[in-house]
Amino acid sequence: MKVSSARWKSRLDGTIPDQLAQEIDAFELEIELRLQDKVDEKIFAETRLRRGAYGQRYDNGQRFDGTETRQLAYPEKSSKGPGTIWDAPGMLRIKIPYGGMNPEQLEVLADLAEEYSDGIAHVTTRQDFQLHFIHIEDTPTLMRRLAAVGITTREACGNSVRNVTACPFAGVCTDQAFDVTPYAHALAMFLLGHPDAQNFGRKFKPTFSGCAQHSCGLTAMHDLGYTAVTRVVDGEEQRGFRFVVGGGLGAVPDQAKLFDEFLPPEEMLPIAQAIARVFGRHGEKKNRSRARMKFLIRNWGMEKFKEEVLKERQSLPDDPRWTEYLDGVADDVETPLKPAGDFPTVTGNEAYDRWFSTNLREQRQEGYVTVSVALPLGDLTPDQLRALADIVRRFTNGTVRTTVEQNMVIRWVSKSDVFDLFEALTGAGIGEPGAGNILDIVTCPGTDTCKLGISSSRGLTAELRSRLAKKSFEMDEAISNLHIKVSGCFNSCGQHHVSDIGFYGVNRIVNGYQVPHFQVVLGGQWEENGGSYGLPIVAIASKRIPEALDRITDYYLRMRQKNERFTQFVTRVGKGQIRQVLDDLTKNRPDHDDDPSFYSDWGDPREYSTGDVGIGECAGEVVSAYQFAMTDAERMVFEAQLFLDAGNVQGAGTEAYRAMVRAAKALVQIKYDDVADDADEVVEEFRDRYYDTKLIFDPFAGGKFANYLFAAHSKVGATFTSDTARHAIEEGQLFIEAVHGCYNRMRTAGLSESTEMS
Amino acid sequence: MELQHVNIKIFVDGDLAVAPARFVDVFHEWVREQSLDEMLIDVADYRHVPAGPGVMLIALEADYNIDQTAGRWGLRYNRKSAIEGTNHDRFRQALAGAINACHLLEAHFAADGPLTFSRDEFELFINDRALAPNTPETYASCKPEIESFVMDVFGHSDFALTHHSDVRSRFGVNIKLTKPLDPKVVLDALQRNA
Ligand code: SF4
């Protein structure tokens, strides 16, 4: 053990709750045992994940350096899990239930970011913090230092109940039914380490929202979504929750389904426990890609799911914790430090005016506002965290929260302090304007640190931000109010489905080279708790995304009807029309030698690669045939969307299926030129040549995407609903991406067409 | 008092004349060539963070970054892995790492720079609050050791040591030399004594 780790351990002895201290000690021991090879690597991997210690890009010991894949010569050859080298740095995810923090916690986080990570604390889209480039031996010390100020990393990752999120404005929002904070806190504490929540096949995400109309809680995309509602019975107001279940983003998003219009608070915890038991018992365990709760609900239907849960609820032994917390529930538990006031008069300060126009929000309590601290890409330095702690202490009673838009919100600021607070924030480099507007782009880690990243979501976001920063305050309000969200791959951690304009990373072959691309996703809705999901319309090279964004926003500005919101506009003009505006961006790509930068990603000068691929070795007739077929398949899946937009759900579902068959045929043709058009034959050949051989298997998702084809093929002729047609389109698009991925891997492995066909 | 996790920051002379984006390219090249003593892993780009760590070169044993914390550009060497030996050995190792990186960067940008790093000022931090909390006591106990190290390396005692006294910061001192150093000579001396 490092000298400083031993010192922290003895210094913090007695300051950490016993249970937590024992768990951290046990984890420390497991680290030791794993090093001695006395714990299986798979078991250790899940153990560390449940402790919040996650893998990070290149921890398999390989890195493509722009010319070739090189081995990173880590000295310790043991592993932290399958394919994960012991010495490779990783990420630590730190749970912040409902985003609630205090200044002492900010300071500890600052010290940890400085001493153990790369000097940046990152706010995630689940109101967590993440620290990167952490060494596994240091994690128990980080956990102890966090635990000493009431923070845990437990169950931040792995197949567990993830951070319970909630509106950062809960308790102070003008539109809330009531303050959801104590309920979110109670659920988080109840489920943390609960024996009934340890046996899941996948993660499980709860959230709370104070109202239905705004986006703060995003209940529609959660496994458990609680929206505060009230009703009057016999003249008395009662609190409850509109309770939805089984939502989720991920590759194929699902809107959560209604479980109960009015779930009384006394039933909130027992029903959550019953759901955890049902999900633990009946949820998929083997096939990770179908293990989220939404699949159980899809398989069973909502009626059966609810029936099982209610049956389980009846069988639960009473637990006093179900209602104990209700005694302490009261609104306005937070108090202000300063008396309520009025805004000071400030003239001639353009920076202040901009910041004031975007970063402030009136509280329900007269004379107070909340102040959003806009964090570029969700990042903060240790000095900024300490400055923020000072500011929060100076102006409030220590009330600050993280947000799912990767910002911080300071609550209970007296209006009379607003200018002083602005100056304090600006002095610390965190007084940027634009919170919640087009500049405030949400992004996942992408290829910077995520093992699954395909394109550089952070690189693109930084580029878009720097371009938009120059003009966002001259823009028409219709544009500046748009939301943009970026994910590095289809997994949707950047929540691209619930933004006006979303992007997710994919790759394409151009002139024989891999080129990073982003799918442009339009029509999602951030408001109404993520009320509808967008669909991809076209893949565009990363370096052309800024141009694509300009075109989309210009087109919207020119063609919108009075007060027409972006989602309404997309529905009215149709995605086909918008796609035409972008069409030439998918063509006339520069030759590699003329513009090599086109073949690399934003913020990364290396020639782009999704794996360890050699370049430019594959060309000729068969490639053209493949590309031709894939262009067809992409067109067909897009047409499916147009059908869906036009209300033709049957046509949409059928066309999405046909697109999959077309893409499957593109691959089959590489090995078997004479394959017929008949879908049965294509699917059979595809299964034989690509599924049974595992060639189509994604390194992380396995055969999941091919199974979409098989499932669709087995259901030919079935009737589609708008939900199932939408799923068919999403699955069609993902299957096409999987075909692209397979093709790229084959090229890399030298299984080029000519070799295979000879 | 054992001091590990030594940081050295050598300031850029004047304004940073090279666009920070250029360091992304250089650091990727260094990873490709494995140009430094440490095992170089990746590059992290934090140019979007005001007064932040700038562009980082992540290695297994240490990080290097073209750093703008506290509002001044400089090259920071942040040793992460423990080093056996004395505190002098650890100071020496970190200073050599920092000077070597500055030297390589100056050479890289010589044609189109100019990029020059200070010859008369640098900072030394102990990035470990358990070993070196930033207190007057720590300063009192470390000062003689730091002074003797500086005298040893630069061969004279014409320097001023200033303690960064904010109790929440890492323990750190600013070292201002009255005679500018010749990095080549210092580097040779550091490496000879290693
Ligand atoms: S969306 Fe993809 S790239 Fe982004 S964090 Fe999630 S898995 Fe990684």
Side-chain angles (χ1 to χ4, degrees), chain A residues 444-447 450-455 457 487-494:
Chain A
C444 77
T447 49
C450 175
K451 288 161 87 158
L452 306 182
I454 293 176
S455 305
S457 43
S487 301
C489 79
F490 51 78
N491 279 312
S492 199
C493 304

Side-chain angles (χ1 to χ4, degrees), chain A residues 240-252:
Chain A
F241 295 98
R242 184 175 188 278
F243 180 44
V244 293
V245 294
L249 292 182
V252 180

Side-chain angles (χ1 to χ4, degrees), chain A residues 4 7-8 58 63 65 70 73-75 87 107 111 114-115 118 379 381 384 386 390 429 458 605-606, chain B residues 5 24-25 28 31-32 39 41-42 46 48-50 52-53 56 58 60 127-131 168 170:
Chain A
S4 66
R7 287 206 188 155
W8 280 116
Y58 313 124
R63 182 178 183 274
D65 67 10
R70 302 263 177 101
Y74 287 110
D87 280 332
E107 285 168 340
D111 293 353
E114 204 162 60
E115 293 176 42
D118 57 354
D379 291 342
T381 67
Q384 288 166 349
R386 286 185 203 108
D390 291 341
R458 280 170 60 88
R606 287 173 294 170
Chain B
H5 217 153
V24 177
D25 299 353
H28 271 288
V31 178
R32 186 166 58 244
M39 196 202 84
I41 301 172
D42 198 18
Y46 292 117
H48 54 277
V49 182
M56 305 195 70
I58 309 284
L60 178 65
N127 194 6
D128 190 318
R129 286 170 176 80
L131 299 181
R168 291 184 306 177
R170 317 176 249 214

Side-chain angles (χ1 to χ4, degrees), chain B residues 15-180:
Chain B
D15 291 336
L16 183 66
V18 174
R22 306 273 311 272
F23 294 93
V24 177
D25 299 353
V26 179
F27 288 169
H28 271 288
E29 193 183 310
W30 286 7
V31 178
R32 186 166 58 244
E33 303 300 332
Q34 290 290 313
S35 305
L36 303 172
D37 287 344
E38 293 84 2
M39 196 202 84
L40 307 181
I41 301 172
D42 198 18
V43 180
D45 183 355
Y46 292 117
R47 284 176 291 147
H48 54 277
V49 182
V55 182
M56 305 195 70
L57 173 57
I58 309 284
L60 178 65
E61 307 87 343
D63 295 335
Y64 293 81
N65 58 313
I66 194 78
D67 171 277
Q68 206 196 0
T69 49
R72 274 182 87 178
W73 285 103
L75 182 288
R76 182 186 290 274
Y77 178 86
N78 169 23
R79 181 74 196 184
K80 298 187 287 191
S81 318
I83 290 184
E84 299 284 319
T86 64
N87 288 336
H88 268 222
D89 295 334
R90 295 185 267 270
F91 296 156
R92 185 179 298 122
Q93 190 280 337
L95 185 61
I99 293 179
N100 179 46
C102 290
H103 184 62
L104 290 175
L105 286 170
E106 285 185 349
H108 184 94
F109 289 112
D112 52 358
L115 172 70
T116 49
F117 289 92
S118 175
R119 266 54 177 166
D120 61 6
E121 186 183 10
F122 68 97
E123 291 182 321
L124 182 152
F125 297 90
I126 304 303
N127 194 6
D128 190 318
R129 286 170 176 80
L131 299 181
N134 196 14
T135 58
E137 295 74 37
T138 303
Y139 182 53
S141 112
C142 294
K143 191 169 175 250
E145 215 165 359
I146 296 172
E147 284 175 338
S148 85
F149 166 70
V150 177
M151 276 194 278
D152 224 33
V153 173
F154 300 104
H156 61 80
S157 56
D158 294 338
F159 60 86
L161 211 61
T162 316
H163 175 216
H164 297 302
S165 56
D166 178 353
V167 69
R168 291 184 306 177
S169 302
R170 317 176 249 214
F171 171 74
V173 290
N174 179 290
I175 297 151
K176 183 96 175 124
L177 308 167
T178 45
K179 293 185 212 153

